[in-house]
Amino acid sequence: MKTRTHLFLMAAAILIPVALAFWIGVSMLLDWERESRIQRVQETARSTALLVDREIAVKEALLRVIANSESLAEQNYARVYRLATRTNAGDALSWTILVDAQTRPIFNTLRPFGSALKGTNRPYAAEVLGSNKTRVSGYFKGPTSQRPVVSVDVPTPPGQAPRYVVSQIFDARYFERVFANRALEPTWLVGIFDARGVTIARNRHAGQAAGRPMHPEMRSAALHAGSGVLRHVTHEGTEVYGVYTRAAVSGWTVVIGVPVAEIESAARTAALYATLALLLLMGMAVLIAVFFGNKLTNALQQAGSVANSLARGAIARPRPTRVDEVDALLDGLHYTSEALSRESAARQALQHEREQLLVSEQRARRVAEAQSRAKDSFLAMLGHELRNPLAAISGAMSVLDMPAIKPELAANAREISRRQMRHLTRIVDDLLDVQRILSGKIVLQYSPVNLGEVLHACVEAKRLVDAGNHHWEVALEPAWVDGDRTRLEQIVDNLLHNAIKYTPAGGAIAVSCSCGSGAREVVVEVRDTGIGLAPELLPAIFDVLVQGPTSIDRAQGGLGLGLALVKELTALHGGKVSVHSAGQGQGCSFTLVFPLRQDAGSAGQHGLDARQSSLDPA
């Protein structure tokens, strides 16, 4: 047989098993596509259930605030009514009810305070107070609103007397907002059902469906399993894949019905495209086999012609055939010389690589030695910092053990112990904070924070500790940022601590807070007239373990962690910190810049009033 025939048989031997495997794969693809679509609907159902639980959890948290409020404990119902009204401001589909331990309603935010309410009691209150747990009700019609509603009921703490139940009532239409989820297709039928299987909300014909029972087959399936898929016919007569899941907080069931035709058509479309792609690829494979068969045949015929010429003693140099094996036979010597050239170049490249590896190893060794020296220095500083307070505490304890000690000496010894324990605590806290930040384990609790108030509180605390040793100048403006108040206080406290520590008695410390250009930034400055910084230390002053030029037995002490904490915590808040010093003995100026909160204008009305003052040591 000719070479072309062999190629055709080889192609057939490859393509026939491929075609068989393809038909098996198409059937698997149909199943996979169907499962994939259903799985996407399941994920959507779970996310919808989470949205419902989130709405309930938010309202439950607000109810707990009311249930634990001092106004309710003092039976100041008017103030509790105002608090509940503000909580529901702008939401016409949700309101709050307060019921006492005798199940009598006290107020309903749907009505003005003091209005008479329909119904003499609320029997669910006894159940909630008896269990001391939050209750999420099923579907019912509200006696005051006369609307289809559900409720979240929260009891007051068990130790509080008298007891109350604070309830958040939701109009059934309240939960229709979850149907605005972009993952929900227009053709899908979505419903929310309570624990008894009664319809709470539906994305279609919501008014007619509210209060109707769940489809019997779906109800039976939902009772046996928290989530799953059921193929059934809806009340409207549409055959659907019903994907259901139970919400963890409310115990309600979210059901998404996807028409069977939609699921199956997508799978069939995918299979059709796959079939067309296979036919196209098989046709291309046949054409390529024909093309390369002709090319290989011509190359072999040319090689045979050259062999016949060599047999006759003639020397022939044929043109390149573009078939590697034939060209390798004709140009073997040429390829051998190229191979030797490439081998030489490879040896030179390997030699260069070895030299680079040697340089890298030497550089890594120098870095490791530097890190080892830094570690030894840090351990020496840590030992010194721990030894001094421990020695002072030991001495104070020895004084306290003396017989017939004077009260003044005992009080002084206890004060020394307390002061040194605070110093030890600060060292350990700095070490732990640096470790958490460098390992990425620190988590900030963001909330709106008035930075002016934080600065004012920290300055007042430090002035008490300073005991009039320095002259303070404070100029603060209200400035709202998004941040962790505790960590912001830590940043400011470290800067003020450094200013006091490195500024001799009688020096000045200035603290200011203002909004930057365009009211987009908050600028905080802490300036002192202390010992200052050398120019060569400025670039590395915020690195871990970096201090001024001090020895182990230095007077100021410290591990060099405070400014590193300032830099990292400021960066976590989206800000930046910089330092300026004119040199030794010229003092320092630290500048913090934080992004201003977007709604800072409205928040600032309730914040710290602007302060411009000069505080003397006296």
Side-chain angles (χ1 to χ4, degrees):
M1 289 187 295
K2 295 184 178 181
T3 305
R4 185 183 293 109
T5 305
H6 281 286
L7 290 175
F8 287 153
L9 292 175
M10 184 184 301
I14 294 173
L15 292 176
I16 290 174
V18 169
L20 293 175
F22 167 77
W23 290 115
I24 298 174
V26 166
S27 62
M28 295 177 62
L29 177 63
L30 288 171
D31 294 336
W32 177 85
E33 180 66 22
R34 183 184 301 109
E35 293 298 327
S36 177
R37 295 277 294 180
I38 292 175
Q39 185 177 6
R40 186 170 76 87
V41 178
Q42 288 177 320
E43 293 296 332
T44 304
R46 283 192 285 268
S47 66
T48 303
L50 288 176
L51 288 175
V52 172
D53 278 353
R54 186 190 67 179
E55 295 290 339
I56 293 175
V58 169
K59 293 299 184 180
E60 180 185 357
L62 295 175
L63 292 177
R64 290 195 179 279
V65 172
I66 297 175
N68 290 275
S69 66
E70 293 183 1
S71 300
L72 184 57
E74 297 170 356
Q75 302 184 33
N76 190 340
Y77 302 135
R79 183 178 297 175
V80 177
Y81 178 87
R82 290 194 296 272
L83 175 60
T85 303
R86 287 196 299 270
T87 301
N88 296 311
D91 193 347
L93 299 179
S94 178
W95 58 92
T96 305
I97 294 177
L98 179 65
V99 178
D100 63 14
Q102 286 72 41
T103 71
R104 293 172 300 189
I106 296 176
F107 66 73
N108 186 330
T109 57
L110 273 180
R111 299 286 184 267
F113 182 75
S115 300
L117 302 178
K118 293 183 178 180
T120 58
N121 56 36
R122 299 295 189 271
Y124 64 85
E127 175 188 348
V128 175
L129 291 174
S131 64
N132 285 322
K133 295 181 180 178
T134 299
R135 168 184 174 269
V136 180
S137 78
Y139 173 93
F140 67 97
K141 180 168 286 189
T144 301
S145 65
Q146 293 300 309
R147 306 184 205 169
V149 296
V150 293
S151 69
V152 177
D153 310 308
V154 175
T156 55
Q160 179 177 313
R163 300 288 304 280
Y164 302 92
V165 175
V166 188
S167 301
Q168 191 70 21
I169 310 300
F170 299 92
D171 191 303
R173 293 172 296 170
Y174 181 92
F175 296 98
E176 293 179 7
R177 64 186 65 182
V178 302
F179 301 142
N181 185 358
R182 295 181 180 178
L184 298 176
E185 299 290 342
T187 57
W188 295 359
L189 184 63
V190 187
I192 301 174
F193 304 87
D194 65 14
R196 300 170 298 166
V198 179
T199 304
I200 297 174
R202 204 164 183 246
N203 67 334
R204 297 185 198 168
H205 311 297
Q208 302 173 6
R212 291 177 58 185
M214 187 187 296
H215 191 281
E217 294 181 19
M218 181 61 69
R219 174 62 176 164
S220 177
L223 286 176
H224 287 84
S227 60
V229 181
L230 175 67
R231 183 169 176 170
H232 68 287
V233 179
T234 65
H235 293 295
E236 291 83 357
T238 304
E239 187 177 13
V240 298
Y241 283 105
V243 178
Y244 57 92
T245 186
R246 185 176 298 131
V249 174
S250 61
W252 298 346
T253 301
V254 176
V255 180
I256 299 180
V258 183
V260 172
E262 181 179 336
I263 297 291
E264 299 295 340
S265 63
R268 285 193 294 268
T269 300
L272 176 61
Y273 284 143
T275 303
L276 293 177
L278 177 67
L279 293 176
L280 178 61
L281 290 175
M282 292 182 67
M284 291 178 60
V286 172
L287 293 176
I288 291 172
V290 171
F291 172 76
F292 283 108
N294 292 333
K295 184 176 181 179
L296 182 58
T297 299
N298 293 333
L300 292 176
Q301 288 175 351
Q302 187 174 354
S305 176
V306 171
N308 291 332
S309 298
L310 291 176
R312 294 191 303 267
I315 300 176
R317 177 74 177 179
R319 65 183 182 277
T321 63
R322 297 186 181 277
V323 177
D324 291 344
E325 288 77 4
V326 178
D327 288 342
L329 179 63
L330 299 176
D331 301 326
L333 293 177
H334 175 69
Y335 291 148
T336 302
S337 64
E338 286 188 347
L340 291 174
S341 177
R342 288 193 296 270
E343 183 181 355
S344 177
R347 283 199 301 270
Q348 293 178 358
L350 288 174
Q351 180 63 27
H352 178 70
E353 183 179 356
R354 282 196 296 269
E355 293 175 356
Q356 292 298 321
L357 289 175
L358 180 60
V359 172
S360 299
E361 186 274 335
Q362 293 173 346
R363 185 183 299 113
R365 183 184 304 163
R366 288 194 296 270
V367 171
E369 291 174 352
Q371 291 176 343
S372 179
R373 288 193 297 271
K375 178 199 68 175
D376 294 340
S377 176
F378 171 72
L379 291 176
M381 287 190 294
L382 179 60
H384 178 77
E385 288 297 323
L386 295 177
R387 183 190 62 191
N388 283 347
L390 289 175
I393 293 172
S394 176
M397 296 301 294
S398 298
V399 171
L400 291 174
D401 289 338
M402 294 173 59
I405 184 174
K406 294 182 178 180
E408 298 83 3
L409 290 178
N412 186 42
R414 282 190 290 270
E415 176 59 28
I416 291 173
S417 297
R418 283 191 290 267
R419 184 168 61 251
Q420 295 304 325
M421 286 300 297
R422 288 195 297 270
H423 181 54
L424 284 174
T425 301
R426 184 183 184 90
I427 290 174
V428 174
D429 286 344
D430 285 351
L431 286 170
L432 293 176
D433 281 343
V434 168
Q435 190 275 334
R436 283 194 291 266
I437 291 175
L438 294 180
S439 61
K441 295 181 179 179
I442 191 168
V443 177
L444 300 184
Q445 303 296 327
Y446 287 98
S447 63
V449 178
N450 188 337
L451 199 54
E453 287 185 354
V454 172
L455 286 164
H456 179 70
C458 292
V459 168
E460 290 300 317
K462 286 300 181 184
R463 287 184 61 226
L464 292 176
V465 176
D466 189 35
N469 290 327
H470 299 90
H471 174 73
W472 289 78
E473 295 180 0
V474 182
L476 306 178
E477 295 180 3
W480 289 85
V481 298
D482 282 318
D484 187 321
R485 183 183 183 94
T486 301
R487 295 301 179 179
L488 290 172
E489 290 176 349
Q490 188 176 4
I491 293 171
V492 175
D493 184 72
N494 273 319
L495 292 180
L496 296 179
H497 179 77
N498 272 11
I500 294 173
K501 183 168 68 172
Y502 293 109
T503 302
I509 299 174
V511 182
S512 65
C513 174
S514 61
C515 295
S517 60
R520 294 181 179 178
E521 296 178 336
V522 181
V523 179
V524 177
E525 288 187 319
V526 178
R527 302 182 301 276
D528 61 65
T529 59
I531 62 175
L533 291 170
E536 63 272 11
L537 193 60
L538 289 175
I541 192 63
F542 293 106
D543 294 343
V544 178
L545 308 181
V546 172
Q547 291 183 320
T550 58
S551 62
I552 293 178
D553 55 347
R554 61 214 181 285
Q556 301 298 340
L559 296 175
L561 300 177
L563 293 181
L565 285 172
V566 169
K567 176 185 176 183
E568 298 298 334
L569 290 175
T570 301
L572 289 175
H573 282 83
K576 54 187 177 180
V577 60
S578 59
V579 61
H580 172 73
S581 177
Q584 294 284 354
Q586 301 297 315
C588 290
S589 175
F590 288 87
T591 302
L592 297 168
V593 179
F594 294 99
L596 189 64
R597 180 176 169 82
Q598 293 299 321
D599 55 351
S602 61
Q605 296 176 359
H606 306 287
L608 177 70
D609 294 335
R611 292 177 173 85
Q612 300 288 339
S613 62
S614 176
L615 305 178
D616 293 327

